[in-house]
Amino acid sequence: MREKSQLGKWAKTILIALCLLPAVALAAGAGPDDVLIVGELFDIKSMDPVQSGSALTEKALITESLVGVNSDMSLKPELAESWTQIDDRTWEIKLRDDVLFHDGSKMTANEVKFSLERANELDSKAADLMDLESIEVVDDRTLLIHTNELNPILPAVLHYSSIVIFSPRSLDDKGEFVSPIGTGPFMLESFDPKTHVLNLVRNSKWWGGEVKLSGLKIVPIIDPNTRALALENGDVDFTVDVPYSEADRIGDESGINVKKYQNPRIYVMDFNTQDAPLDDVRVRKAIAYGIDTDSIVKYVLFGIGRPAIGPFMPEFIWANKDLAAYEHDLDRAKELLAEAGWMDSDSDGILDKDGEPLEIGLLTYPNRPGLPPMAEAITGQLKEIGIKVNVEITESGVINERRKTGDWDIYLQAINTAMVPDPSYYLGLTYETEGGYNYPGYSNPKVDDLLDQASRTADEQERLEIMNEIQSIIQDEIPVLTVAYYGVIVASRDYVLGYEYDPTAHDYKLSPDMYIER
């Protein structure tokens, strides 16, 4: 009922245009010459910053966070001018004095308090990260954030995509969200609730200075092949992650630029450790030894990415440099499966135990071009050690529901490890017993204790040593297997200028410095 009510409000408050046409057709020839048309790889279903934070902050540039991040993952001021730890449980936040919301009202500490408290109420991950006890408004430019316990990473947490600042006037008198009124360089002009196409216009009063494009048009195009075709046909100006096998060919076309970047995102296989056979660490290790990550990167990802060692890229200061990767070793994989009691009793090539074949389901989704072919390659490789894998490619929303009910074995996905620039973000959410991403059901009291220790120390060296120990444990028990480090393809028409890749973004982050010069 609530969703239906919100759609009704959208219908009254925003422009519904061209809703009966296919999404790609919406982009063709639309808009003035200095409106950038973007082929977005995911559907954007909500305009609520708490639900669609990365889309509204990094792609639509409607909302902004208090704290920004440099390319080396160090923090920088954004809407917050500074932050100071007053005592173990209190941070003082000083705000910029020159920020206006899109409706012309001034951003003060009251609106920031509202935004943080709403994220804390509606987003459990944000609540876990902030560990908020209360927020005190000292004056228009100053807040005191009180946490329940020592939280040394709070400034980094204030960069998290759903913890962004917007006006309370984004909600109606009943507290229902209506339309985002942010502070960013672009303002929402329209959102089509059927096609999910966004139109945005320049915020000429943006505190950060000149915004070069007059507008953005963001068109969801889920299929990588369709995104590539839309770019080649000139229906979109900018997109990401076209099929890897096509990247070089597309880049050779006249009028198109293709660039490849490394990203803190990783390809991982989540194992359902709650059910057989993946509750047996020997089976999980056998799978790790059975996968040839070098050939996957070379022949499936076409070199766009790298074989992984652990969860963090080696260049990161918080990566455990002593970790060893699971090298491709079929003999070791077969030994482990034999130790676990799996034998090929009927000589059909598939191992079995107690009359049941070693047959495992693997779920993945189509949006990212590397995932479906990677799933097929893994299927072939694991067959060599006697494991039958059944691949199912479906929407990520369907997969999330399946994981909640335990109806899954392996989930192959690509996940960003640096949405908050601190190792506790990914390690805590994924490996803590009550972690928000811990769908594998992994639980190790030692890991929980180490994460708790890390959360209670501000000593950077001590925190790094703790994080290294956690990485060693999870590398040995592998409830999640890191297959490869992600590579991103950014493809655009050559008249799109001013784009600079942001390695901290969820997928990509547009910039107010981008412009079109035909």
Side-chain angles (χ1 to χ4, degrees):
M1 289 298 291
R2 180 175 179 179
E3 181 180 0
K4 183 176 180 180
S5 173
Q6 286 184 328
L7 287 177
K9 294 179 184 301
W10 278 113
K12 295 176 183 177
T13 56
I14 61 179
L15 175 67
I16 301 177
L18 304 175
C19 60
L20 299 179
L21 297 177
V24 176
L26 281 166
D33 285 347
D34 60 348
V35 172
L36 182 74
I37 303 175
V38 179
E40 158 62 19
L41 71 167
F42 283 102
D43 204 357
I44 301 174
K45 297 179 180 178
S46 171
M47 288 292 95
D48 189 330
V50 175
Q51 298 179 22
S52 299
S54 62
L56 266 66
T57 303
E58 298 172 357
K59 299 166 183 177
L61 304 182
I62 295 173
T63 48
E64 298 171 296
S65 57
L66 291 173
V67 177
V69 177
N70 295 302
S71 59
D72 63 355
M73 301 292 169
S74 60
L75 304 183
K76 65 179 181 181
E78 198 161 286
L79 296 181
E81 195 172 70
S82 65
W83 47 89
T84 306
Q85 190 165 15
I86 304 299
D87 57 42
D88 281 356
R89 295 171 50 198
T90 306
W91 286 86
E92 180 186 76
I93 309 294
K94 284 284 187 183
L95 304 176
R96 295 182 63 94
D97 193 33
D98 57 353
V99 179
L100 299 177
F101 287 109
H102 295 159
D103 63 359
S105 61
K106 188 169 184 177
M107 183 194 77
T108 72
N110 288 310
E111 287 82 16
V112 174
K113 179 176 186 289
F114 160 81
S115 300
L116 300 186
E117 289 180 340
R118 188 170 184 273
N120 186 65
E121 177 186 354
L122 299 181
D123 185 333
S124 60
K125 294 184 182 67
D128 288 343
L129 291 165
M130 287 193 286
D131 192 27
L132 196 62
E133 191 272 329
S134 65
I135 299 176
E136 182 180 346
V137 173
V138 178
D139 57 40
D140 280 356
R141 290 187 55 215
T142 310
L143 303 103
L144 294 178
I145 298 179
H146 304 286
T147 56
N148 291 308
E149 303 288 347
L150 172 68
N151 188 353
I153 68 164
L154 183 69
V157 168
L158 296 178
H159 176 70
Y160 188 57
S161 59
S162 69
I163 307 175
V164 294
I165 309 306
F166 58 100
S167 169
R169 290 172 291 282
S170 304
L171 282 62
D172 64 16
D173 293 341
K174 297 179 181 178
E176 298 286 349
F177 193 88
V178 179
S179 181
I181 302 173
T183 61
F186 288 93
M187 304 184 292
L188 181 66
E189 182 181 54
S190 67
F191 172 68
D192 189 316
K194 292 185 177 179
T195 63
H196 300 164
V197 172
L198 281 76
N199 287 292
L200 304 119
V201 295
R202 173 196 295 144
N203 174 14
S204 59
K205 297 182 179 179
W206 183 49
W207 62 271
E210 180 187 9
V211 180
K212 296 180 178 178
L213 293 166
S214 68
L216 299 172
K217 187 184 191 83
I218 299 179
V219 184
I221 305 175
I222 307 304
D223 179 65
N225 290 288
T226 308
R227 287 198 295 274
L229 186 61
L231 181 71
E232 292 180 275
N233 289 342
D235 294 331
V236 303
D237 304 313
F238 180 100
T239 193
V240 297
D241 281 356
V242 296
Y244 299 149
S245 60
E246 295 289 298
D248 289 340
R249 180 191 64 78
I250 294 171
D252 288 339
E253 287 192 26
S254 176
I256 295 180
N257 289 324
V258 170
K259 294 185 178 180
K260 305 168 186 176
Y261 302 93
Q262 285 296 312
N263 186 290
R265 185 177 297 279
I266 50 178
Y267 291 102
V268 295
M269 295 169 67
D270 285 5
F271 297 124
N272 183 350
T273 67
Q274 297 298 294
D275 294 325
L278 296 171
D279 59 345
D280 190 328
V281 68
R282 294 169 296 187
V283 176
R284 302 198 297 269
K285 286 187 175 182
I287 290 173
Y289 282 118
I291 293 176
D292 183 353
T293 55
D294 288 334
S295 68
I296 284 177
V297 169
K298 183 175 181 179
Y299 299 111
V300 176
L301 302 180
F302 292 85
I304 301 169
R306 290 180 290 170
I309 301 172
F312 302 118
M313 291 194 299
E315 296 84 357
F316 280 19
I317 188 173
W318 54 69
N320 183 335
K321 306 298 190 295
D322 295 326
L323 291 185
Y326 285 89
E327 300 293 341
H328 188 218
D329 187 337
L330 297 182
D331 290 338
R332 180 60 182 145
K334 291 174 182 176
E335 287 175 4
L336 286 164
L337 291 171
E339 289 175 15
W342 293 95
M343 309 294 288
D344 187 7
S345 63
D346 55 7
S347 301
D348 67 348
I350 302 300
L351 304 181
D352 55 84
K353 184 167 72 172
D354 301 329
E356 296 293 329
L358 185 46
E359 188 170 342
I360 296 172
L362 187 154
L363 294 168
T364 194
Y365 49 95
N367 308 60
R368 299 192 183 279
L371 291 174
M374 187 182 292
E376 295 300 332
I378 289 171
T379 299
Q381 292 178 357
L382 294 187
K383 188 176 181 180
E384 293 184 43
I385 58 172
I387 298 177
K388 182 179 180 182
V389 177
N390 300 310
V391 174
E392 188 175 348
I393 300 171
T394 186
E395 294 182 3
S396 55
V398 173
I399 294 173
N400 288 336
E401 291 303 314
R402 292 267 298 272
R403 292 203 294 169
K404 289 177 183 176
T405 62
D407 181 22
W408 66 289
D409 295 318
I410 296 175
Y411 178 33
L412 175 65
Q413 62 169 327
I415 187 167
N416 193 309
T417 60
M419 294 289 284
V420 170
D422 188 273
S424 64
Y425 163 72
Y426 174 70
L427 295 178
L429 285 174
T430 305
Y431 298 101
E432 193 169 28
T433 298
E434 300 298 327
Y437 293 158
N438 186 6
Y439 291 104
Y442 175 71
S443 181
N444 183 329
K446 177 66 173 176
V447 171
D448 289 348
D449 182 59
L450 289 168
L451 285 165
D452 186 62
Q453 289 180 40
S455 71
R456 300 180 194 286
T457 178
D459 186 292
E460 281 301 313
Q461 185 57 41
E462 185 178 346
R463 294 187 79 247
L464 284 177
E465 291 172 2
I466 293 171
M467 295 301 171
N468 282 346
E469 186 174 356
I470 294 171
Q471 291 173 66
S472 295
I473 294 172
I474 61 174
Q475 187 80 347
D476 182 56
E477 299 186 339
I478 54 169
V480 177
L481 173 63
T482 309
V483 179
Y485 301 122
Y486 199 90
V488 177
I489 295 176
V490 174
S492 63
R493 305 299 302 188
D494 60 3
Y495 51 72
V496 178
L497 303 174
Y499 175 75
E500 289 192 9
Y501 179 69
D502 183 342
T504 72
H506 186 259
D507 296 302
Y508 59 93
K509 186 172 184 177
L510 299 179
S511 163
D513 294 327
M514 294 176 71
Y515 62 100
I516 290 175
E517 186 174 275
R518 297 182 192 273

